[in-house]
Amino acid sequence: MAIPDFELDRSLVRRRANAAAATYPEADFLPREIARRMAERLDYIRQDPRRILDLGCGPGADRAILEARFPQAEYVGVDAARAMLGPVTNGGFLRRLLGRPTQPARICADAEALPLGRSSVSLVWSNLMLNWLHDPLPALREIHRVLEVGGLVMFSTLGPDTLRELRQALPSRAGERVHRFIDMHDLGDALVQAGFSDPVMDMEMLTLTYTDLDQLFADLRHAGATNAAVGRPRGLTGRSGWEQARATYATLAREGRLPATFEVLQGHAWKMPAKVTEDGRAVINFQPRKPG
């Protein structure tokens, strides 16, 4: 389900992520905290996955959490930004000999066209990837395709109140200057449309604080997280625009710190047996008659 009147420049998203690969570890404290909170939810989910897909894995910082939790599972990391992945290996001869990679597989690929077979993954873990899609439905359908029946998708993303202070401070007369994010209820609808059953979602607000606005901008740049909307304005109407934005944001300061709010959405959903085939025919399961 796409956000009305909003489209991301996907090639620009990739270019900025590639450019930020070297500085990303300096600014990934929010994904690290969210990964920790996602991992806590695994305590309440009974699953022993054979293969895990870390979708939007970046440099692979979540791998340690997943391998500690599921040491027997094969890990596959996928990211659309090649530079984020570092040196890529497919395991070579030993992978074919042993049936699994000697090192975790890392693949550069788009979330909407995963180079994985149908029903080949038990768990899809996605930490702050869906917020880089203006329409998550195609990616969710791909996730559903690669998951085996009984498989689980667990994800985090950002909601509409993210960076609300910055959105209010920047002048809007030339267009939206802050990335837009999909609403939790719309995301839940997209999960159902993609074929998932019983999606569970919730939301919490996290607030980071900064000594000045330049610190916030630096963190966003280092993470490759600046606005990539197709209709983004170019520039800030000169020096007066910047001064006005800084003055407006300064009124929000508390004890000398400027707040930056992030609306964090977390959710999970299961792939259950299909009730209809892809061409719309009903699936009928026959049970053998017990001998009488």
Side-chain angles (χ1 to χ4, degrees):
M1 182 175 294
I3 304 173
D5 304 320
F6 181 74
E7 182 180 357
L8 286 168
D9 184 336
R10 299 287 297 280
S11 63
L12 179 60
V13 170
R14 284 192 295 272
R15 291 199 304 272
R16 286 182 173 171
N18 280 321
T23 56
Y24 184 80
E26 303 172 18
D28 75 337
F29 36 84
L30 182 63
R32 295 304 95 241
E33 174 60 21
I34 294 174
R36 184 189 67 78
R37 297 180 185 220
M38 287 175 67
E40 290 177 350
R41 293 164 180 261
L42 290 173
D43 294 336
Y44 306 100
I45 295 173
R46 294 184 179 181
Q47 196 191 35
D48 188 17
R50 60 185 179 86
R51 179 180 290 152
I52 299 171
L53 169 59
D54 184 359
L55 185 54
C57 64
D62 290 3
R63 173 186 149 202
I65 290 175
L66 295 167
E67 291 187 340
R69 178 77 58 157
F70 307 112
Q72 301 304 316
E74 178 184 351
Y75 172 93
V76 178
V78 169
D79 200 279
R82 175 63 183 80
M84 281 285 187
L85 294 168
V88 175
T89 177
N90 62 8
F93 172 74
L94 282 177
R95 176 180 182 179
R96 296 191 297 272
L97 181 65
L98 301 176
R100 64 178 295 171
T102 55
Q103 296 184 29
R106 288 165 290 170
I107 303 169
C108 183
D110 195 296
E112 297 180 2
L114 297 173
L116 300 171
R118 183 182 298 274
S119 303
S120 60
V121 173
S122 308
L123 169 64
V124 174
W125 168 282
S126 184
N127 183 9
L128 295 182
M129 184 280 295
L130 291 175
N131 42 280
W132 289 110
L133 306 174
H134 59 261
D135 183 1
L137 185 56
L140 292 174
R141 284 177 170 152
E142 266 293 87
I143 292 171
H144 189 271
R145 181 185 67 81
V146 302
L147 271 174
E148 62 190 22
V149 173
L152 173 71
V153 58
M154 175 171 281
F155 63 88
S156 66
T157 186
L158 298 175
D161 268 347
T162 296
L163 295 175
R164 62 189 181 195
E165 299 90 354
L166 185 59
R167 196 183 309 275
Q168 294 166 5
L170 293 174
S172 60
R173 57 184 174 273
E176 288 183 295
R177 300 179 180 276
V178 182
H179 185 115
R180 268 200 263 176
F181 304 95
I182 193 168
D183 180 81
M184 178 173 68
H185 303 291
D186 291 336
L187 187 56
D189 291 342
L191 283 164
V192 173
Q193 288 183 49
F196 286 99
S197 298
D198 303 321
V200 176
M201 297 188 61
D202 60 37
M203 177 272 289
E204 60 182 333
M205 295 291 189
L206 299 182
T207 302
L208 305 181
T209 61
Y210 292 87
T211 55
D212 57 52
L213 202 52
D214 290 329
Q215 266 195 337
L216 171 59
F217 289 151
D219 279 350
L220 294 175
R221 286 194 303 271
H222 290 164
T226 50
N227 186 15
V230 170
R232 67 193 182 283
R234 312 301 200 268
L236 195 61
T237 64
R239 182 176 179 179
S240 62
W242 278 111
E243 292 177 348
Q244 177 185 344
R246 290 178 184 280
T248 301
Y249 213 125
T251 63
L252 305 175
R254 297 294 181 271
E255 298 180 356
R257 306 283 295 185
L258 298 176
T261 296
F262 293 83
E263 180 183 349
V264 179
L265 309 181
Q266 290 193 57
H268 66 266
W270 300 89
K271 179 177 178 177
M272 303 306 292
K275 296 181 180 179
V276 297
T277 62
E278 291 183 358
D279 60 4
R281 291 176 295 172
V283 174
I284 301 175
N285 295 314
F286 292 93
Q287 298 294 333
R289 180 182 297 176
K290 294 181 180 179

